[in-house]
Amino acid sequence: MSEKRFLALILALFLLLGAAYALVTPVFEASDELWHYPMVRHLADGNGLPVQVFDPAQAGPWKQEASQPPLYYYVGAALTFWIDTSDMEHVRWLNPHVDNGVITEDGNINLVVHDPAASPWQGTLLAVRIIRLASVLMGAATVYLTYRIAREVVPRRPTIALGAAAVNAFIPMFLFISGAVNNDNLAIPLASLALLLMLRHIRAGRTAILRWRDEVRQWAMIGVVIGLAVLTKEGTLGLLPLAWGTAFISVWQQLQVAPRLTSLVASGATSGRERMGPASVDLTFAAFMRLLARSFVRFGIVLVPVLLIAGWWYYRNLVLYGDLLGWNAFIAVLGQRPQPATLAQLWDERAGFLMSYWGLFGGVNVPMPGWIYTVLNTVLVVAVPGFVVYFARELWDWIRETGSWRFDLGATITNVLYFVESRFALVVCLLFSAAVVYGLINWTTTTWSSQGRLAFTAISTLTTLLVLGLAGWLPRRPAIVIVSGLALFLFVVAAAAPFLWIAPSYEARVGAPSPLPAEMARVEAEFGADCTCRDAERMRLVAYEIEAPARGGGDALRPGDTVEVTLVWEALAEMEQDWSVFVHLNDPMLATPLAQRDMYPGQGLLATRLLEPGQQIVNRYHLRVPETAIAPSELELAVGLYDFETGERLLTAAGTERDILTLETLLLEPSPGEYPNATSVNFGDRMELVGFSVTPRRARPGETVQLTVYWRALRSLETDYTIFAQVLHTEDTTRWAASDVPGNTTAWPEGEVQTIEMPLTLREEAPAGVFPLVVGAYTRTEDGGFTRLQIVRDGRITMDDVLTLTRIRIE
C-alpha cells in the first residue's frame, strides 16, 4: 500500500504541476505549439488534411506540421470542435522579429504578441487550454507507464520503479511539453504502452504456455497500440523492429520453456526471475530458421492492425510526395543544414541538446539558471558508469545462474538468447532508447533539430536506465536516499520554473512617465509628426543611454564588442499600425548598418496598437560589432520606427523628410595586432585568418576590389587548400566577383603568416547595392566535389564554412 500511495502522490503532483505549466505559459509560447494548433483548428472546422507544400513561404500556419501523422490533431479537434475559434488570427499575433531558438540578453523571445484584453476562457485561448489540459492527462499516463516498465525491469526494487516515475514526472521540460499542444504528448504514452505490452508478454511466457487464441489477441493488441503510435508520430516506428524481436524471443521462449515448465512449477520457481540453465542442445541453423519463420508469423499479426490503422497515412505520403515518410516535404519547409553535421559537430552541440532535455522553455529560448543544468548533467555523467556497473552485475549474476559459458558459435548464440530472454525488460529499455537516440542523431545531422526533448519518445526507458545507473547497483537504503534526493530536487525546480522563469519572461513593463536617471541623455524627439501614412501614428523618444567600452573613459570600442543601448519611449496617440523600433550602428562608408537590432517595444512583447497615450516604455538593445569590422572608423548610432510589412518609416520631425535619428558617433578602433584589421578566426583547427585589408569598399561594375588576407597554419598541413573570396548576392548567392588562389598549404611552416593577394573584379552586370565579401578555404575531393573547412568558435565546430569579412557597395 505504501508503494501505491507514493505512486498516487507522484501522479497527483504531476497533474498539479502540469496544469500550472498549461495555464501559466502564454498560449503559443510553447515549443512548436504555434504550428501544431493550426492543424487542430483546421480539422476542427471540418476540413480535410492539408497538403504540405514545399515552399516555406506558402506552407500555411501549420508550417512543417502538415507532414506529421494526424492522430493527435484529430483528438484535439474532437475536444474543441464546438468552440468558435474565428479569433485565431488575432490571438496568433506573430512577432516578426522573434529570436526563435536563440537565448538573448535583451529579450525579444516571444513568438507572438499577447493582447491583455483577450479573454483567456473564450475562443482560441479556451481551445488551446483544453487541449493542453488533455495533454497533461496523457503525460500522467506516461508517468504511470514508466513506473510499470521499471517494475518489469526490477520487479523486486519498488524504489527504482517509483524513482523512475518521479524523475519522469518532474523533469521540467517534460512538464512543459505535457502542458502544451504537441503531438509528442500522445506519441510518448502510446510508445510506452506498446513496450509494456511486449514486456508483459515475455514475462507471462515464463510461467505459462499461451493458447494460440490468447496469443493472437495479445499480438493484435500490441499491433493496435503501435498502429496508433505511428499514426501520431513517425519517431515511434522503432517499435516495429522491437515487436519482431519480441516475437522472436517469444517463440524461442516457448520452445525452450515448455519441456521444463512442469519441473519449474513443481520446484516453486515461478516468479519469473529464476532461470533455467543453457539449453542442452545448441541452436542449429535449421532450428534458427524455424524460429525466424514462426516469429514472422507473429509479427505478421502485429502488422495487420498497424497497416489498417496507419497504412493509409504512409500511402498518402507516397502518393503526394513520393516519399513514404514525407520527410522531403517536411525538410523543405523546416529547412536543413547546408551540409550534414558530423558526429564531432553534434558533440559540440551537446550543451544546448541537454538544456532542451532538462528544461529550455518558450521557443527554446527561455533557460533556467546555469547551475541547474550543471547539477543535472553531473547526475547524468555519474549515472553512466553506474549503469555499466549495474549491467555488469546483472551479466555476472546470470552467468552464475546458468553455469559455464561456452564460446563456440552455436552455444554463444544460445546463451545470448537465454540472457536476452531472462533480462528482456532491461534489454528492451536499452534497445528502444538506443533506437530513438540513433534516429534523433540521424535526423539532427540533416536538420537544425538538435533538441533533447525530441528524445522524449523514449523517456520511460531513458529515465528507468538513469535511475538504474544512479541506484540500481546500490543497497536499498543509499538507493532510497539518492533517488529521493534527485526526485525532490527536480520537483523543486519544476515547481519554480513557471513562476520564476517562464511567466516573468513574458511580462511587458509599461507605465506612466516617471523621473529618469541623471545619466540618461534627454532627446524629446517626436516620430510621426506630419506622417505621410497617418496623423495619429506618433511616438516620442524621450531619452537614451549608451553603455560601450568607448564611453566613460574605458577601453576603446573594438570589433567583437557589444554596445548596449537603452531607449525610453512614450506613446503620444493611439496607433493603428504595428511599428518596429530599429537601432543601427551605421557604417558611413557604405551607408548601411554594420550592426542592428529590430524589435517591437517592450523587448518585443508590445505592439504599438496596444499602447495608450502617455504610456512610457523602456527598451534595451544589444548590438554586437562584427569581429571583422573595418577599423578605425566612426560608427553612427541611429534609431527609428518602421512598418515591418511595408517598410514604411515614421518621420522624425514636422516639415522634414528625415526618417532616422542619429544619437551619437562611436569611434571604432582596430583590434591589437600586427596585421590590418587584426582578427583570429579558426578554420577547421588547421588554418587561422589573422588579418585582412580591402581597397576600395565602394566600386563600380568592371572595377577591381583588392583583397589581401593573412593566414597562419595552426599545424603542419597534409592537404593543399585553395583560398577563395567572393562578393555574393544576399538572396540567391550569385557571385558578382570571385577569386580562388591555390594556397600550397602543405608547404606552409607551422605558425608562420602567409600573405595572399586576391583581386576581385566585379562583373559588368552586377547590380547596384551592398553585398557581403566572404572568404574561406576548400580542397577538392576524389569525386570532383569539394570540402570546405568549417569555422571553429570557442573550441566548437560550427556549420559555418565561410566568413563574412565586410560588405562592398556596388554603385
Side-chain angles (χ1 to χ4, degrees):
M1 290 303 296
S2 296
E3 185 177 354
K4 291 181 179 179
R5 290 192 184 103
F6 275 119
L7 179 60
L9 176 62
I10 292 169
L11 291 171
L13 291 175
F14 174 83
L15 290 171
L16 183 64
L17 289 177
Y21 278 81
L23 298 176
V24 170
T25 304
V27 167
F28 297 135
E29 297 294 352
S31 300
D32 296 341
E33 186 176 73
L34 190 66
W35 304 298
H36 282 297
Y37 176 73
M39 280 290 294
V40 174
R41 191 238 187 170
H42 182 76
L43 298 176
D45 287 346
N47 301 301
L49 290 171
V51 176
Q52 182 73 77
V53 300
F54 286 72
D55 182 2
Q58 305 296 326
W62 37 74
K63 292 189 69 176
Q64 70 275 3
E65 306 306 343
S67 297
Q68 295 266 29
L71 182 58
Y72 177 82
Y73 306 127
Y74 277 124
V75 172
L79 293 172
T80 58
F81 72 92
W82 51 275
I83 301 173
D84 178 8
T85 57
S86 57
D87 64 340
M88 188 186 80
E89 296 307 320
H90 176 72
V91 173
R92 195 173 173 273
W93 188 346
L94 300 181
N95 174 11
H97 307 293
V98 60
D99 292 299
N100 194 1
V102 180
I103 300 173
T104 67
E105 297 181 359
D106 57 356
N108 199 38
I109 50 86
N110 55 297
L111 294 164
V112 299
V113 176
H114 304 280
D115 186 351
S119 172
W121 301 109
Q122 291 181 357
T124 298
L125 295 179
L126 173 61
V128 170
R129 285 183 165 87
I130 288 175
I131 301 172
R132 282 183 171 187
L133 293 173
S135 296
V136 171
L137 294 177
M138 299 175 192
T142 297
V143 173
Y144 175 76
L145 291 167
T146 298
Y147 165 78
R148 298 308 319 178
I149 288 172
R151 214 56 170 94
E152 294 290 328
V153 178
V154 279
R156 296 174 179 173
R157 298 286 300 272
T159 299
I160 302 299
L162 291 171
V167 170
N168 187 165
F170 303 141
I171 291 177
M173 194 66 179
F174 181 72
L175 280 160
F176 180 69
I177 294 298
S178 296
V181 179
N182 194 301
N183 61 347
D184 286 344
N185 293 318
L186 182 57
I188 298 170
L190 287 172
S192 299
L193 179 58
L195 293 175
L196 181 62
L197 292 175
M198 295 181 211
L199 301 184
R200 285 186 166 179
H201 181 83
I202 296 301
R203 174 166 57 84
R206 292 176 182 145
T207 56
I209 301 299
L210 293 176
R211 292 181 300 175
W212 178 244
R213 182 184 303 173
D214 294 334
E215 192 166 0
V216 169
R217 185 170 61 250
Q218 288 190 14
W219 288 117
M221 179 57 66
I222 292 173
V224 167
V225 176
I226 294 178
L228 295 173
V230 298
L231 190 59
T232 304
K233 196 173 180 72
E234 291 175 354
T236 60
L237 286 168
L239 292 167
L240 287 172
L242 270 182
W244 172 80
T246 303
F248 184 88
I249 294 299
S250 175
V251 175
W252 160 266
Q253 184 184 58
Q254 290 185 13
L255 293 176
Q256 298 297 322
V257 169
R260 309 182 195 184
L261 184 59
T262 302
S263 60
L264 278 174
V265 174
S267 66
T270 60
S271 68
R273 189 64 173 176
E274 294 80 359
R275 300 308 315 141
M276 302 166 291
S280 55
V281 178
D282 296 334
L283 188 65
T284 64
F285 179 76
F288 182 77
M289 295 307 294
R290 286 195 297 272
L291 282 176
L292 279 179
R294 295 182 184 183
S295 66
F296 278 121
V297 171
R298 286 156 176 79
F299 183 58
I301 299 173
V302 173
L303 278 182
V304 169
V306 171
L307 293 174
L308 290 175
I309 293 171
W312 65 272
W313 165 256
Y314 294 91
Y315 176 75
R316 176 180 182 270
N317 287 340
L318 196 61
V319 171
L320 290 177
Y321 316 123
D323 179 2
L324 191 66
L325 301 179
W327 281 6
N328 54 354
F330 192 99
I331 293 174
V333 177
L334 177 66
Q336 63 186 85
R337 299 174 187 255
Q339 57 185 351
T342 64
L343 291 179
Q345 288 169 309
L346 295 182
W347 176 252
D348 286 340
E349 296 173 9
R350 66 189 182 279
F353 182 90
L354 290 172
M355 287 176 70
S356 63
Y357 184 90
W358 299 120
L360 187 55
F361 313 114
V364 202
N365 54 13
V366 179
M368 300 184 292
W371 65 269
I372 294 176
Y373 300 110
T374 300
V375 171
L376 294 175
N377 290 340
T378 301
V379 168
L380 180 61
V381 169
V382 171
V384 171
F387 180 78
V388 173
V389 173
Y390 172 82
F391 189 83
R393 287 180 56 176
E394 287 293 298
L395 182 60
W396 176 246
D397 288 345
W398 180 83
I399 292 174
R400 288 194 305 170
E401 292 170 9
T402 57
S404 61
W405 184 281
R406 292 160 50 202
F407 291 99
D408 56 278
L409 180 60
T412 298
I413 294 175
T414 300
N415 286 326
V416 167
L417 290 174
Y418 265 113
F419 176 76
V420 170
E421 190 275 334
S422 67
R423 270 51 173 193
F424 186 72
L426 176 61
V427 172
V428 164
C429 285
L430 280 170
L431 289 178
F432 189 64
S433 298
V436 170
V437 171
Y438 172 79
L440 180 55
I441 290 173
N442 188 48
W443 177 248
T444 304
T445 58
T446 302
T447 68
W448 295 103
S449 299
S450 187
Q451 296 184 38
R453 71 168 185 88
L454 298 178
F456 283 171
T457 305
I459 196 170
S460 293
T461 57
L462 287 170
T463 50
T464 297
L465 297 176
L466 175 68
V467 174
L468 284 174
L470 289 174
W473 52 282
L474 293 172
R476 177 178 176 274
R477 195 171 297 275
I480 291 176
V481 172
I482 290 176
V483 172
S484 300
L486 176 59
L488 181 61
F489 176 77
L490 284 170
F491 172 77
V492 171
V493 172
F499 309 103
L500 292 186
W501 307 306
I502 298 177
S505 297
Y506 302 99
E507 293 177 356
R509 294 170 175 82
V510 296
S514 59
L516 300 174
E519 60 270 18
M520 298 197 80
R522 273 33 175 204
V523 182
E524 301 297 334
E526 189 171 321
F527 288 79
D530 277 353
C531 178
T532 58
C533 53
R534 212 173 267 111
D535 289 340
E537 311 291 313
R538 297 173 63 202
M539 289 277 286
R540 175 188 292 138
L541 178 61
V542 178
Y544 72 92
E545 182 180 6
I546 302 173
E547 294 183 23
R551 296 176 58 84
D555 295 334
L557 179 65
R558 300 185 188 278
D561 285 343
T562 297
V563 178
E564 300 180 20
V565 181
T566 302
L567 302 180
V568 181
W569 293 94
E570 181 182 351
L572 299 179
E574 292 185 357
M575 288 169 273
E576 299 179 11
Q577 286 182 262
D578 298 327
W579 297 101
S580 302
V581 177
F582 67 82
V583 183
H584 290 174
L585 275 177
N586 287 328
D587 181 349
M589 171 66 71
L590 301 179
T592 191
L594 184 66
Q596 69 182 78
R597 195 79 168 106
D598 294 18
M599 68 173 79
Y600 280 170
Q603 309 308 132
L605 293 164
L606 293 172
T608 53
R609 274 189 283 165
L610 299 177
L611 299 178
E612 298 179 2
Q615 284 187 322
Q616 191 175 87
I617 312 102
V618 179
N619 257 44
R620 296 173 295 104
Y621 306 86
H622 288 212
L623 292 87
R624 186 176 182 274
V625 181
E627 60 188 341
T628 57
I630 301 291
S633 64
E634 294 182 344
L635 305 180
E636 296 175 347
L637 179 64
V639 302
L641 296 108
Y642 73 103
D643 186 323
F644 179 81
E645 296 295 332
T646 66
E648 178 184 21
R649 290 185 178 183
L650 284 177
L651 300 181
T652 60
T656 73
E657 295 299 325
R658 295 171 53 203
D659 56 14
I660 186 170
L661 177 66
T662 299
L663 299 180
E664 287 195 24
T665 298
L666 303 180
L667 177 62
L668 180 67
E669 296 190 0
S671 298
E674 56 182 305
Y675 301 99
N677 299 300
T679 187
S680 176
V681 183
N682 182 332
F683 283 77
D685 284 330
R686 290 171 173 80
M687 301 160 59
E688 177 188 17
L689 181 69
V690 297
F692 68 95
S693 63
V694 181
T695 306
R697 296 170 63 204
R698 302 172 71 110
R700 298 179 182 277
E703 295 181 348
T704 298
V705 174
Q706 185 61 45
L707 170 66
T708 304
V709 287
Y710 302 89
W711 291 85
R712 174 188 290 127
L714 296 175
R715 61 187 186 188
S716 296
L717 299 177
E718 300 177 354
T719 303
D720 279 324
Y721 291 94
T722 297
I723 311 301
F724 70 89
Q726 300 169 357
V727 178
L728 295 177
H729 195 288
T730 52
E731 295 181 0
D732 59 13
T733 67
T734 299
R735 302 177 191 175
W736 299 127
S739 178
D740 289 50
V741 178
N744 192 27
T745 54
T746 53
W748 288 5
E750 180 179 348
E752 184 175 307
V753 174
Q754 307 293 322
T755 302
I756 300 177
E757 302 290 342
M758 307 186 72
L760 294 157
T761 301
L762 298 171
R763 289 163 53 180
E764 293 290 347
E765 63 272 24
V770 179
F771 304 98
L773 168 58
V774 303
V775 299
Y778 69 88
T779 183
R780 291 290 180 183
T781 57
E782 293 181 357
D783 59 3
F786 63 88
T787 300
R788 290 177 175 175
L789 289 179
Q790 292 169 283
I791 296 175
V792 178
R793 300 186 191 278
D794 300 323
R796 297 179 180 178
I797 302 173
T798 70
M799 293 302 297
D800 299 328
D801 54 16
V802 296
L803 174 70
T804 300
L805 291 180
T806 184
R807 295 183 180 183
I808 301 297
R809 177 173 286 280
I810 302 177
E811 300 178 326

